[in-house]
Amino acid sequence: MTFLKKIPLFAFLFLAAPLFGQLPTADRVARHIRYLASDRMQGRGTGSRENARAAAYIVRQFRKAGLTPRGTDGFYQPFTARVRRVVVADSLRPASNVVGFLDNGAAGTIVIGAHYDHLGLGRQGSSLDPKPEGQIHNGADDNASGVAGLIELARYYARNDRKEPYNFLFIAFGAEELGLLGSRHFLNHPTVPTASLNFMVCMDMIGRYNPERGVGIGGYGTSDAWPEVFKGVTAGVKFFTDRAGNGGSDNAAFYAKGIPVLFFHTGGHPDYHKPGDDPDKIDARAEAEILRLEIRLVDRALDLPKMTFTPVR
Ligand SMILES: [Zn+2]
């Protein structure tokens, strides 16, 4: 206190700005979601021009945050998505992950991921609408919300003026809706050795916070270190943990490779995989709180040695 008293308030605020100024805000979260889930993005179906446009947006945001490209073609890691259940006849589509790296010169790396593809115009299967063909499946919650979180965490860790004892790999996965194709492709062709990966944080549908339910955090049982990480952590949103880490989204691909995971999810709703999953139904303020909780948890894990994986039975 005596130390602070000697510094004028404006100087303190100026000094503190780099530390606190880049925390995720509801405004920025809402802006990413409005862009990615607008009608002109046509539901970001795998292989579409709009899916590529969404990837380009993520590249711009990663570059702006100051990440280094870590795909196989700059930030991009292209692959071919095989479509098995389709309404129309094509079966091979171009797809890509978007991979950015925050190099802290550390031996270990933390992965933060979210898929950016969705169901497009309802012709690639898995829509729950009775007549999906031709309808834009905007996918605001699934998963523009997770991508907004990914971009905001990248921005936070790249600009927080701290060199963490782990590197960060930020991955926007393609073709998740076709069966975790992007995350599986990454793990079969890793651009950072998988043995150096500490744990993976996955965000899929974190935009429809329900205060009754709270945000679910899966993967609690995937390492004995998680209870230590969560100990005493509080948040501006209600949350609960679930031991399982092998379902729901791209975290399942990392779990299958023996990497500890956390999976953030605000729960199902009547618009799930339907054209009504729109940006105006997103609670961006709650999402920003969820992201701040993620930062708190990741920051606690930074003080611990590389985690050991535990299979969940
Ligand atoms: Zn999803």
Side-chain angles (χ1 to χ4, degrees):
M1 265 318 180
T2 38
F3 170 70
L4 289 182
K5 267 184 190 167
K6 285 175 187 162
I7 305 173
L9 181 64
F10 71 90
F12 175 72
L13 290 175
F14 177 76
L15 289 169
L19 282 174
F20 304 112
Q22 307 296 337
L23 278 171
T25 66
D27 273 1
R28 278 201 300 267
V29 164
R31 207 181 312 146
H32 298 311
I33 294 172
R34 274 200 305 271
Y35 182 88
L36 293 166
S38 67
D39 278 353
R40 69 181 274 271
M41 294 309 275
Q42 299 281 295
R44 307 181 306 281
T46 296
S48 69
R49 199 173 42 200
E50 292 79 12
N51 180 279
R53 201 172 281 161
Y57 177 79
I58 300 163
V59 168
R60 286 200 300 280
Q61 297 295 325
F62 277 4
R63 188 173 287 137
K64 217 160 88 182
L67 299 185
T68 316
R70 199 63 173 224
T72 49
D73 177 11
F75 282 98
Y76 292 99
Q77 183 185 34
F79 60 96
T80 301
R82 189 172 293 276
V83 188
R84 292 210 166 83
R85 282 176 50 236
V86 283
V87 180
V88 289
D90 63 325
S91 63
L92 291 178
R93 299 182 189 186
S96 186
N97 296 323
V98 179
V99 191
F101 193 53
L102 176 59
D103 189 353
N104 287 326
T109 296
I110 293 166
V111 181
I112 315 262
H115 78 86
Y116 69 92
D117 64 302
H118 194 51
L119 307 180
L121 296 172
R123 297 193 180 98
Q124 63 170 65
S126 80
S127 173
L128 294 174
D129 192 272
K131 278 201 158 164
E133 296 87 16
Q135 295 199 63
I136 304 172
H137 290 59
N138 302 83
D141 187 31
D142 189 6
N143 185 30
S145 69
V147 176
L150 177 73
I151 292 168
E152 287 306 302
L153 292 185
R155 182 187 160 99
Y156 175 78
Y157 281 107
R159 295 189 178 187
N160 67 351
D161 280 5
R162 177 180 176 198
K163 198 166 187 174
E164 293 85 6
Y166 289 94
N167 312 311
F168 285 87
L169 193 62
F170 296 94
I171 314 180
F173 296 109
E176 186 272 351
E177 302 285 12
L178 297 170
L180 315 183
L181 301 187
S183 46
R184 286 190 179 138
H185 179 83
F186 174 82
L187 287 163
N188 290 328
H189 306 86
T191 59
V192 168
T194 49
S196 69
L197 302 182
N198 185 2
F199 59 86
M200 187 262 189
V201 174
C202 184
M203 293 167 274
D204 196 349
M205 299 173 63
I206 56 167
R208 293 264 198 134
Y209 177 67
N210 169 356
E212 309 279 292
R213 176 193 188 262
V215 55
I217 309 175
Y220 189 74
T222 62
S223 174
D224 292 341
W226 288 130
E228 176 68 20
V229 168
F230 276 79
K231 201 188 275 171
V233 169
T234 57
V237 283
K238 184 165 140 187
F239 66 91
F240 62 93
T241 56
D242 177 356
R243 288 182 51 79
N246 65 342
S249 187
D250 297 295
N251 52 286
F254 285 76
Y255 177 90
K257 294 278 181 189
I259 297 165
V261 298
L262 285 184
F263 170 46
F264 288 78
H265 188 65
T266 47
H269 48 76
D271 295 310
Y272 173 70
H273 279 205
K274 286 185 183 165
D277 181 3
D278 288 333
D280 60 326
K281 295 168 186 163
I282 296 291
D283 184 345
R285 190 182 292 265
E287 178 169 336
E289 290 297 334
I290 293 167
L291 298 174
R292 290 170 184 219
L293 166 61
E294 291 181 35
I295 288 170
R296 248 166 252 162
L297 292 168
V298 168
D299 281 354
R300 301 234 345 173
L302 292 175
D303 300 328
L304 301 178
K306 185 167 173 288
M307 291 184 187
T308 306
F309 176 74
T310 322
V312 182
R313 275 170 289 272

